[in-house]
Amino acid sequence: MSVRDIPLYLDGEPVISRSQQWQDVVNPATQAVVARVPFCTLEEVDHAVASARQAFRSWRKVPLARRQRIMLELQALIREHSEELAELITEEHGKTLPDAAGEVGRGLEVVEHACSITSLQLGELAENAASEVDVYTLNQPLGVGAGITAFNFPIMLPCFMFPLAIATGNTFVLKPSEQDPSATMRLVELAHEAGVPPGVLNVVHGGPEVANRLCDHPDIKAMSFIGSTHVGTQLYRRASEAGKRAQAMMGAKNHCVVMPDANRSQAINNLLGSAFGAAGQRCMANSVVVLVGEAREWLAELAEGARRMVVGPGTQRDADLGPLVSPAAKERVEALIAAGQGEGATLLVDGRGCQVEGYPDGNFVGPTLFSDVTAEMTIYREEIFGPVLCVVAVETLDEAIDFINANPNGNGTSIFTNSGWVARRFESDIDVGQVGINVPIPVPVAYFSFTGSRGSKLGDMGPNGKQAVAFWTQTKTVTARWFEPENVSSGINSTISLS
């Protein structure tokens, strides 16, 4: 099997890096090396930014309708190549093909939303705000934007960034994860095939040195980060201190409350999928279930459902979850499982030592279920980012709400109930940015903003929806008064033609 070299994307063309530092991209189910990705030079980063800065001069003046047509063409190309994109995700990330296809669909939603840019970027006008004075706003692009994405969604996360950024007239430098870059690169190729001009969208690869260079670069005006809390906080602060507009979507500890009046089978099935799908490698995964009152009796059924889930390579059509992204990720998750045991949690289902026939070297960890979990335990305090579900039992809805609100993170939460009063009370009192009601993973559709809160988010505005349009634009307010020319004789104005 040939090993491909992942290029940079500069000036509208794939370019092989001059870097001497390269990293293997590995299939997590087999450990086979499928590609090499460069940690590009700082000169190449500067080249990407310079290319974007030069392209901005003309791109910002491109009519909205033309930018809209490019987004329309991009969404058509993503649809046409959706299977190819999903296969690239599965090969390098490991998630199952259905999960990968779902990710492509989520990314496509954002591009479809960007197709409405002709209405999304409209300003406001007040005629005769004062006598013969009009006041109106222009929503103008900022300049060069940049984005740094995590490994867990190599299509969706870039789509959370560059489509709306460039549709609003900015140019962009993207740094995808070095662990699974091929799907992202194919997406960028499709964007250029759709008509994105050279320099408008550039790609660099690398680690902390490259990320820091982007944060420090004076020609970059705004940056978006999606990743772990530790890294996201560092990059957000660095970019902000450099005077940039910044946003960071970071770690989470998402809870799902199950009330005793919920639809039992639906709640359990949804819990299993949201906790263990994508091997738990989702910032919106429900990693804690809070069983309220008599719903605590459902624990045995939840455990049996976890045991029945099928672990296999992402290409196995009946697999419920695939491997973790790397051996290091597997080692970390298994260490946290051991810590949970050591701290007194009850291990009902143990996913360690998971063996998949024909894939002895895969990074597989099976569904893991703990009960008797308390807020002081490491498995509760840390984001495990693996197929591990913690069960907390409480007596009342009030206890559940207080328990969740005491957690420092606020990315997402869900409740399963058949009571409208309970659901309304929960959505009102819970201090979490995204709420699901009988929905296990409350990621909103792309024309609503991603609204994680508290320790899961830095910055006032999130990706997608109206907030993303506001993030990638600056408002200019014009106050205008026009006088009749003094040297024009009476009646002449009536003859003025606009032809």
Side-chain angles (χ1 to χ4, degrees), residues 25-141:
V25 179
V26 177
N27 183 320
T30 65
Q31 302 308 312
V33 176
V34 297
R36 296 194 317 149
V37 63
F39 280 42
C40 72
T41 68
L42 296 184
E43 290 77 16
E44 288 167 333
V45 177
D46 291 344
H47 182 157
V49 177
S51 176
R53 181 184 179 187
Q54 177 65 28
F56 177 68
R57 298 177 182 177
S58 56
W59 178 245
R60 68 187 301 271
K61 298 182 181 298
V62 168
L64 278 171
R66 182 181 166 198
R67 291 189 230 143
Q68 179 188 51
R69 284 193 291 271
I70 291 173
M71 290 296 113
L72 287 165
E73 183 62 24
L74 177 56
Q75 65 88 23
L77 287 169
I78 292 173
R79 287 182 184 278
E80 180 183 345
H81 295 273
S82 58
E83 185 174 340
E84 175 193 359
L85 293 169
E87 289 172 352
L88 288 169
I89 294 170
T90 295
E91 181 181 45
E92 295 181 356
H93 175 280
K95 66 178 64 173
T96 64
L97 283 169
D99 256 345
E103 176 187 342
V104 175
R106 278 293 191 171
L108 178 62
E109 282 185 4
V110 187
V111 178
E112 290 172 335
H113 180 53
C115 293
S116 301
I117 194 61
T118 49
S119 57
L120 292 173
Q121 206 169 344
L122 294 179
E124 299 176 315
L125 182 143
E127 185 180 20
N128 286 322
S131 180
E132 297 188 4
V133 174
D134 302 328
V135 179
Y136 53 93
T137 59
L138 308 173
N139 295 321
Q140 297 184 323

Side-chain angles (χ1 to χ4, degrees), residues 341-489:
Q341 276 188 296
E343 293 177 3
T346 301
L347 183 58
L348 298 176
V349 183
D350 189 351
R352 291 173 298 180
C354 179
Q355 298 295 318
V356 175
E357 185 177 356
Y359 295 86
D361 299 321
N363 308 319
F364 297 104
V365 176
T368 300
L369 184 67
F370 279 104
S371 64
D372 304 312
V373 176
T374 65
E376 294 76 29
M377 293 179 178
T378 304
I379 54 172
Y380 178 76
R381 289 185 289 106
E382 291 200 23
E383 184 178 22
I384 299 175
F385 229 61
V388 180
L389 178 60
C390 298
V391 179
V392 174
V394 298
E395 290 284 349
T396 66
L397 176 64
D398 285 341
E399 288 181 68
I401 291 172
D402 289 344
F403 184 80
I404 296 169
N405 285 346
N407 190 282
N409 294 298
N411 211 28
T413 188
S414 297
I415 188 168
F416 280 81
T417 179
N418 276 326
S419 167
W421 182 89
V422 166
R424 193 171 188 277
R425 165 79 188 288
F426 183 76
E427 72 176 50
S428 175
D429 290 356
I430 205 71
D431 185 17
V432 175
Q434 297 173 121
V435 178
I437 298 172
N438 298 317
V439 174
I441 301 178
V443 178
V445 291
Y447 42 89
F448 282 81
S449 296
F450 193 92
T451 53
S453 62
R454 296 194 284 149
S456 297
K457 174 186 176 183
L458 290 172
D460 296 331
M461 294 175 283
N464 297 347
K466 294 179 180 178
Q467 288 187 15
V469 176
F471 180 81
W472 294 113
T473 59
Q474 56 189 348
T475 301
K476 180 182 290 182
T477 305
V478 180
T479 303
R481 172 186 287 163
W482 294 97
F483 298 102
E484 181 178 1
E486 293 181 354
N487 60 345
V488 177
S489 60

